[in-house]
Amino acid sequence: MKTIDQISFNGKRALIRVDFNVPLDENYNITDDNRMTAALPTIKKILKDGGAVILMSHLGRPKDGPTEKYSLKHLVPHLSDLLGQQVEFADDCIGEDALQKSKEIEKGEVLLLENLRFYKEEEKGDVAFAEKLSKLGDIYVNDAFGTAHRAHASTAVIAQFFPDAKVFGYLMAAELNNAEKILNGAAKPFTAIMGGSKVSDKIQLIERLLDKVDNLIIGGGMAYTFAKADGGNIGTSLLEADKLDLALSLVQKAKEKGVNLLLPVDNVIADKFANDANKDVAKTGEIPDNWMGLDIGPETIKLFSKTVEESKTILWNGPMGVFEMDNFMAGTKAIADAVAKATDNGAFSLIGGGDSAAAVAKFDMVGDVSYVSTGGGASLEYMEGKELPGVKAINE
Ligand code: AMP
């Protein structure tokens, strides 16, 4: 893997694609800076080597060109604080001003470019736009794992203009190495915990994991499609009615491959989809009409936790219930505790990005697991075995 460790940045300008797509409140305060802090090791290493840094990113989904709300200038003060030095800003990502500023940049300095998605060419993967961006640096560094599954101008297409000077940043390298640990070389027993709303979103990953794992735990909304397929009553719980056969075939495949498939045996149910709903516990397949399962129940917590705690490798993708509502987060929290306990006992635990990462952050447990992926869609696609355009562009 070609990383920033294999290149000398002294006197060079590193053009780094980062993922600074952070949430901002109505006063443009950054409400979660994880994506910015995740890129700091790469930036600092290049500056320490005597390089200059030019950062490019997208922010939000601007539809019609430059929009105040999506300007990356709002990030400059906080980025300057994080780096302990003033960050320069170019109010366009291409054009005269950006070009001039990128020429004048000195060793140890940092320049942030305006939002790439102010140009529709970015998401289209336009070659001419990518070429214009490429003029701003000597070495291309991709450290934006969150967008690595997109073949955009700045994430993939641009790499062709740096045939001998394109490398992964530390965040990308960590993401790929940790995924590799799970996919090829997982210590046994290997347990995958799948949850979230839909089985259809994760079917490819589940099928792939059936060849690798010892235990497959299924919880969250997707479990109700399995319960229904088994002939149970699920009330008004989430259901993908067209996936009943698929659920049955997954159960069959798990059996054939000797995978221990664990499904919920009981559920916390609610009479409406709200935190203040009336609550009860029902066995799987015995949910009354007009009630819905919003979390795994206490017996299921015991069952799942035991398997998780005995594991040496854990992949977790998707919450066990509607963890955003405090009254239905106990299942997800208990599984997070079990993952933390296993990790403490020496297991390697990888939390897929997206909602499981949000849950672990909500419980303030990021430090209790081995690695939390920063990329939702990218992480899922990589685990499914797809080649990510952002990765391919550096490797080829
Ligand atoms: P996903 O994006 O597919 O990983 O799904 C995550 C979402 O699934 C979260 O917002 C959860 O609130 C939701 N979820 C988990 N369990 C349930 C459930 N039993 N019923 C409805 N939604 C659920």
Side-chain angles (χ1 to χ4, degrees), residues 196-198 201-202 220-221 224 238 273 293-294 318-319 321-322 324 355:
S197 51
K198 289 186 189 162
D201 288 345
K202 288 169 192 164
Y224 298 101
L238 268 190
F273 189 81
L294 293 186
V322 185
E324 297 93 336
D355 282 305

Side-chain angles (χ1 to χ4, degrees), residues 3 5 9 15 19 24 27 31 37 43 51 56 95 100 113 132 139 183 198 245 258 263 267 271 285-286 300 308 350:
T3 74
D5 281 334
F9 286 91
L15 180 60
D19 178 4
L24 299 173
N27 297 317
T31 53
T37 54
I43 299 172
M56 53 180 177
Q100 196 55 35
L113 305 175
K132 283 180 196 157
I139 299 166
L183 295 172
K198 289 186 189 162
D245 288 344
L263 285 156
N267 311 271
D271 60 355
E286 297 179 14
T300 307
V308 170
L350 178 67

Side-chain angles (χ1 to χ4, degrees), residues 84-377:
Q85 67 183 78
Q86 184 58 42
V87 171
E88 280 297 310
F89 183 70
D91 55 16
D92 196 350
C93 61
I94 53 171
E96 259 320 299
D97 181 51
L99 199 59
Q100 196 55 35
K101 284 189 167 131
S102 75
K103 276 186 187 144
E104 287 166 3
I105 196 167
E106 305 267 352
K107 266 182 181 205
E109 290 181 348
V110 180
L111 170 67
L112 175 65
L113 305 175
E114 182 56 289
N115 196 340
L116 294 157
R117 290 196 188 166
F118 285 171
Y119 288 88
K120 59 183 182 327
E121 288 86 346
E122 162 65 358
E123 288 184 84
K124 283 189 178 152
D126 185 85
V127 179
F129 177 69
E131 187 173 16
K132 283 180 196 157
L133 290 172
S134 75
K135 305 284 184 219
L136 306 177
D138 306 311
I139 299 166
Y140 171 64
V141 180
N142 191 347
D143 213 20
F145 185 70
T147 47
H149 57 318
R150 307 282 183 223
H152 294 170
S154 69
T155 60
V157 180
I158 190 173
Q160 64 190 279
F161 299 105
F162 299 89
D164 304 314
K166 49 180 183 174
V167 286
F168 294 115
Y170 286 141
L171 176 64
M172 280 285 271
E175 291 278 357
L176 299 177
N177 285 332
N178 284 318
E180 205 52 32
K181 263 194 217 171
I182 290 274
L183 295 172
N184 299 308
K188 302 230 152 204
F190 177 6
T191 300
I193 311 163
M194 294 287 125
S197 51
K198 289 186 189 162
V199 64
S200 53
D201 288 345
K202 288 169 192 164
I203 177 65
Q204 279 172 291
L205 177 59
I206 293 174
E207 293 211 326
R208 186 160 195 232
L209 289 171
L210 282 175
D211 287 325
K212 299 181 184 284
V213 300
D214 303 292
N215 307 298
L216 173 62
I217 291 176
I218 292 188
M222 68 165 74
Y224 298 101
T225 298
F226 288 80
K228 179 80 176 176
D230 194 36
N233 291 325
I234 62 165
T236 51
S237 306
L238 268 190
L239 170 67
E240 284 180 278
D242 59 337
K243 295 290 179 291
L244 295 170
D245 288 344
L246 174 80
L248 289 177
S249 89
L250 283 176
V251 173
Q252 186 56 32
K253 273 188 198 161
K255 224 177 252 162
E256 284 163 16
K257 292 178 190 270
V259 172
N260 176 32
L261 173 64
L262 296 178
L263 285 156
V265 293
D266 62 351
N267 311 271
V268 177
I269 59 171
D271 60 355
K272 60 178 176 178
F273 189 81
N275 192 44
D276 63 353
N278 290 308
K279 279 202 321 182
D280 206 344
V281 173
K283 282 193 181 147
T284 292
E286 297 179 14
I287 299 179
D289 293 348
N290 300 320
W291 286 69
M292 63 184 83
L294 293 186
D295 196 5
I296 53 173
E299 289 305 315
T300 307
I301 287 179
K302 278 189 219 155
L303 178 75
F304 286 5
S305 299
K306 183 168 183 293
T307 297
V308 170
E309 284 170 22
E310 288 167 356
S311 304
K312 284 280 164 253
T313 305
I314 300 161
L315 171 63
W316 184 11
N317 194 317
M320 295 291 99
V322 185
F323 74 98
E324 297 93 336
M325 298 181 193
D326 284 357
N327 285 331
F328 303 99
M329 73 174 190
T332 303
K333 172 71 168 71
I335 295 308
D337 287 339
V339 173
K341 199 162 169 192
T343 311
D344 203 34
N345 287 333
F348 176 72
S349 55
L350 178 67
I351 314 301
D355 282 305
S356 5
V360 169
K362 173 171 173 161
F363 306 141
D364 204 10
M365 292 178 70
V366 174
D368 301 332
V369 298
S370 306
Y371 192 72
V372 181
S373 176
T374 56

